[in-house]
């Protein structure tokens, strides 16, 4: 038993035990994204109450439970991860049909957003079984809250998560992001952050807020032009460590009128003219003939400039 959270466990029982926790129910529990103290009192109580815990990584979850002083044996942990989520759902359903309470946790944050959990919940809905969410930490809302987005642009934000790992697919995804006028939240792993930063440089002066190691001891949050992101990473080797959440800020209103041209330029830099025009038409909805004429003009201006 951990002594650090003894008082928190007592407080969780006092605060949450009087509520109703129906049997035969899945409790989707958000867990900290880094700082153990970010666990909620209700989450602590439910994790101790349930008969079984479905989890992305049983070893990781067992260590988390022990840190809080919650005792569950190995038989009470059910592995439900990205590679077995659909199949493992039947095991969880069996537990629920027996009237047991089951919690589901991912390795960090709110399940079912970028982590496993969505297929499990969908399977329960199909069987008309109950699911109760326990809100809590999420890297998405955490980085948004520190991005300083001003409410002068309609539409809220878009969550894109991890972009494709292959260079060509990632570059095409960034071109699509260039057409998105709303804020966009991205996630990235340390071994791929340099490649993402390089791809985002094509967005030029559009602002990006980078959240690294959010809620942890060496947390770092910075806002800069997308073109400056590789330089910022290279300035300190430690910046390549840890998990990343990024916010691509909304498109400034003054640049929206030239957005079609911007997308066309990005595509022309990566693709043959006809392919670039076709994709630009698909993305923007603009007439292909007009885009083709503009592409010829842009190509001609580039060639003249390179000769000079």
């Amino acid at each position: 038993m951990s002594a650090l959270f003894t008082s928190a466990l007592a407080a969780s029982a006092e605060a949450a035990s009087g509520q109703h926790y129906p049997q035969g129910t899945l409790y989707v529990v958000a867990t900290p994204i880094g700082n153990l103290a970010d666990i909620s009192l209700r989450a602590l109580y439910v994790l101790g109450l349930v008969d079984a815990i479905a989890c992305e990584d049983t070893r990781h979850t067992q260590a988390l439970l022990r840190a809080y002083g919650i005792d569950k044996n190995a038989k009470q942990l059910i592995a439900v991860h990205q590679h077995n989520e659909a199949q493992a759902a039947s095991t969880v359903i069996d537990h629920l049909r027996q009237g047991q309470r089951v919690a589901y946790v991912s390795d960090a944050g709110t399940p079912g957003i970028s982590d496993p959990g969505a297929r499990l919940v969908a399977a329960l809905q199909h069987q008309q079984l109950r699911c109760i969410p326990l809100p809590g930490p999420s890297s998405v809302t955490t980085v948004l809250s520190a991005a300083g987005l001003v409410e002068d642009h309609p539409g809220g934000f878009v969550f894109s998560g991890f972009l494709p790992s292959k260079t060509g697919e990632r570059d095409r995804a960034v071109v699509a992001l260039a057409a998105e006028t709303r804020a966009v939240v991205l996630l990235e792993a340390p071994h791929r952050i340099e490649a993402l930063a390089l791809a985002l440089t094509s967005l030029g002066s559009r602002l990006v807020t980078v959240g690294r190691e959010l809620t942890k001891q060496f947390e770092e949050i910075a806002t800069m032009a997308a073109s400056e992101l590789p330089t910022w990473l290279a300035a300190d080797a430690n910046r390549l460590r840890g998990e990343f959440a990024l916010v691509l800020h909304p498109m400034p209103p003054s640049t929206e009128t030239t957005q079609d041209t911007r997308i066309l330029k990005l595509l022309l830099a990566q693709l043959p003219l006809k392919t670039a025009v076709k994709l630009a038409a698909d993305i923007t909805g603009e007439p292909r003939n007009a885009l083709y004429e503009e592409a010829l003009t842009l190509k001609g201006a580039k060639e003249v400039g390179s000769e000079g």
Side-chain angles (χ1 to χ4, degrees), residues 153 181 205-207 249-257:
H153 196 289
T181 59
S205 61
R206 191 163 174 180
L207 293 180
H249 286 230
M251 182 70 66
S254 61
T255 65
E256 287 180 17
T257 57

Side-chain angles (χ1 to χ4, degrees), residues 5 76-77 81 136 177 195 199 208 307:
F5 287 92
Q76 291 177 286
L77 301 183
H81 48 73
L177 291 182
V208 176
E307 290 174 2

Side-chain angles (χ1 to χ4, degrees), residues 43-58:
L44 282 176
Y45 182 76
V46 166
L47 289 174
L49 172 71
V50 294
D51 303 289
I53 299 177
C55 43
E56 186 177 359
D57 184 324
T58 57

Side-chain angles (χ1 to χ4, degrees), residues 79-93 119-120 123:
V80 182
H81 48 73
Q82 180 182 359
H83 303 292
N84 79 337
E85 194 172 359
Q87 301 91 324
S90 62
T91 301
V92 174
I93 289 171
R119 287 189 178 90
L120 174 61

Side-chain angles (χ1 to χ4, degrees), residues 105-174:
V105 297
S106 61
D107 285 349
T110 302
I113 305 302
S114 186
D115 294 332
R119 287 189 178 90
L120 174 61
V121 172
L124 265 60
Q125 290 174 340
H126 183 70
Q127 296 294 323
Q128 298 184 325
L129 292 167
R130 189 171 182 181
C131 174
I132 295 179
L134 273 64
S138 166
S139 60
V140 177
T141 51
T142 299
V143 72
L144 279 168
S145 69
L149 303 183
V150 181
E151 292 293 331
D152 60 356
H153 196 289
F157 71 93
V158 177
F159 175 64
S160 287
F162 292 91
L163 295 189
S165 58
K166 294 183 178 179
T167 302
E169 294 177 2
R170 181 172 54 242
D171 289 342
R172 286 191 287 275
V174 171

Side-chain angles (χ1 to χ4, degrees), residues 193-207:
I193 188 61
E194 289 179 294
L196 176 63
L198 185 61
L200 292 177
T201 58
S202 62
L203 302 181
S205 61
R206 191 163 174 180
L207 293 180

